[in-house]
Amino acid sequence: MQIALGQAVAVLSLTAALFTVSCEQHTNSERSESIEVYVDLDEKEPVDVASVNVVGGLHQLYVKSNVAFTASWEDGETTPWATVVDDTAVDPKTGYRIVTLDVKRRHNTLAYYTRRTGTLILRANNENLYFSKYVQVHQGSLARISSDFAWITYASTDPRIEDGVILANWSTPLKDRGYRSTPNLHDGQAHLYGKKGYLQLGDAEGHGADVISPYTSDFRYDSLLMVSFRAVAHTDYKTGAKDGNKFTVEVTGGGVIADFMESGNVTSIELEAPNFDPQSENFPNDMWDGSNFLVFVVGTEANPLTVNTTITIKSGSLDTPTSTPNRLYVDNFYVRRVIEGEEPYFEENGGSGLDKILGVEPEEVVE
């Protein structure tokens, strides 16, 4: 009995000792190992989230660590959109390791900015440490409103054929998408038409038209928006006569055009669309070439973005028909929020206007 009691005491002592060790190694306890990631050498605070540009190419992150590590990449795509090409270089001034990512262009054929995310994994080489650092890496931005208008299945894709369906005759499910248009003062009709996969503003009789974006309550959380879309003006197939190509983009319900923020409460900007070439051998497949636009809307203290903020694209006159038509075709309409720490699209594009970021064809596209 005494032996059994002694054995029990020994077992209890061993269990207590193991419990103590286990607590000392608990993952919530402070560790001596450290891996810190910085987006550039001037940053004072390490990050858990980083952003890379949509054009792609080589992108570097800087790592301060007291353990040897190996970098790897994971994302949810069949073919990863980024890879680690080097994690051995060292910055001579700071001693930080340099991790270099080779990032793919966000999209090879479309000016498509919607965010995708991957993970950079920095894992300690000593497997007994069970120690890793995970950094989320974003490319692109979150969309508040998005439409490629694939849900419009009326008529044909060819703009030379005048078969667009006027907004008043759209089905209820299509109207419920939330896109609206202002009635023309001349005849009380909104001359917004649905073509297969895109919108037509205005008609051959010279009526102008606009399209107004749907409402979203999410705008109240934003301070800077990037509106991206394609816009191309009509050219007559038989005569070669070009429609007027000037159009305006206006923000209402809160917010101003970022380009004129310091000039006051400017809420609209005038732009010029290219006229398509109906004689092109590839028409209408190439009708959208060179037609990508970016417009930046900012909320100010005096005029913040709100749940009532909408974006309007307008072509031609809404009063009386003009002698020269102003038919404008619009597609791929997106409104994306831009937050601090993400790609500075406004500066990169030189302000609002033609898209000079993804709207420009890369010199060489690698699949």
Side-chain angles (χ1 to χ4, degrees), residues 3 16 25 55 64 106-107 109 120 129 145 157 200 224 226 246 249 254 272-274 277 296 299 317 361:
I3 294 176
Q25 295 179 344
V55 175
K64 178 183 178 182
R106 181 61 188 89
H107 202 286
T109 58
L120 175 65
L129 292 178
I145 297 174
T157 59
Q200 175 184 326
L224 177 62
M226 180 175 72
K246 291 184 178 180
V249 178
E272 290 188 12
D277 179 8
F296 297 88
S317 171
E361 289 291 328

Side-chain angles (χ1 to χ4, degrees), residues 17-334:
L18 290 173
F19 179 78
T20 301
V21 172
S22 175
C23 288
E24 289 175 351
Q25 295 179 344
H26 193 276
T27 55
N28 288 332
S29 62
E30 187 174 348
R31 302 190 58 143
S32 59
E33 298 84 12
S34 174
I35 298 178
E36 296 178 344
V37 178
Y38 298 83
V39 294
D40 61 57
L41 294 173
D42 295 327
E43 289 291 329
K44 292 182 171 50
E45 296 295 328
V47 299
D48 295 316
V49 179
S51 178
V52 296
N53 66 55
V54 293
V55 175
L58 298 180
H59 186 91
Q60 294 180 328
L61 293 168
Y62 302 90
V63 183
K64 178 183 178 182
S65 176
N66 62 5
V67 296
F69 66 87
T70 300
S72 61
W73 174 268
E74 288 185 1
D75 61 50
E77 298 192 13
T78 304
T79 302
W81 58 267
T83 55
V84 176
V85 294
D86 185 62
D87 62 359
T88 61
V90 176
D91 176 66
K93 184 177 180 180
T94 62
Y96 291 1
R97 290 263 295 277
I98 303 173
V99 175
T100 302
L101 297 174
D102 188 0
V103 178
K104 290 184 178 180
R105 183 181 173 93
R106 181 61 188 89
H107 202 286
N108 286 336
T109 58
L110 296 176
Y112 187 66
Y113 290 84
T114 297
R115 173 182 287 182
R116 59 182 175 184
T117 300
T119 303
L120 175 65
I121 305 169
L122 308 174
R123 182 172 288 112
N125 292 344
N126 186 343
E127 296 181 357
N128 295 325
L129 292 178
Y130 298 103
F131 184 60
S132 300
K133 174 71 175 180
Y134 298 86
V135 178
Q136 274 196 335
V137 180
H138 301 307
Q139 185 185 44
S141 299
L142 294 174
R144 293 305 200 192
I145 297 174
S146 59
S147 185
D148 60 2
F149 300 110
W151 40 271
I152 300 179
T153 57
Y154 299 132
S156 64
T157 59
D158 194 332
R160 294 171 296 190
I161 303 173
E162 295 282 346
D163 61 354
V165 175
I166 200 162
L167 176 63
N169 294 333
W170 287 14
S171 67
T172 298
L174 265 62
K175 290 180 180 178
D176 288 345
R177 296 273 183 167
Y179 289 91
R180 295 166 293 125
S181 185
T182 305
N184 199 294
L185 293 179
H186 172 68
D187 58 4
Q189 187 77 267
H191 290 272
L192 174 68
Y193 299 85
K195 292 278 286 180
K196 190 172 184 179
Y198 61 92
L199 300 175
Q200 175 184 326
L201 280 61
D203 60 21
E205 284 70 49
H207 295 104
D210 64 14
V211 59
I212 306 169
S213 68
Y215 290 106
T216 172
S217 60
D218 291 335
F219 284 161
R220 60 182 168 173
Y221 303 114
D222 302 327
S223 57
L224 177 62
L225 302 174
M226 180 175 72
V227 185
S228 65
F229 57 92
R230 300 195 293 192
V232 62
H234 189 86
T235 302
D236 188 87
Y237 174 71
K238 295 180 180 179
T239 67
K242 295 182 178 181
D243 278 24
N245 66 344
K246 291 184 178 180
F247 67 97
T248 60
V249 178
E250 181 179 13
V251 54
T252 58
V256 300
I257 301 298
D259 307 65
F260 314 119
M261 184 171 59
E262 296 185 4
S263 301
N265 192 32
V266 180
T267 57
S268 66
I269 184 171
E270 185 177 75
L271 301 169
E272 290 188 12
N275 290 79
F276 61 63
D277 179 8
Q279 301 294 337
S280 167
E281 293 181 359
N282 295 321
F283 196 83
N285 294 330
D286 62 355
M287 68 175 281
W288 301 104
D289 287 359
S291 69
N292 293 289
F293 287 85
L294 296 176
V295 174
F296 297 88
V297 175
V298 64
T300 64
E301 186 174 348
N303 199 345
L305 299 170
T306 72
V307 297
N308 295 314
T309 295
T310 59
I311 310 298
T312 299
I313 300 175
K314 173 180 167 293
S315 180
S317 171
L318 301 183
D319 296 330
T320 57
T322 56
S323 56
T324 300
N326 285 85
R327 283 164 289 183
L328 186 76
Y329 304 97
V330 175
D331 194 11
N332 289 6
F333 181 83
Y334 293 83

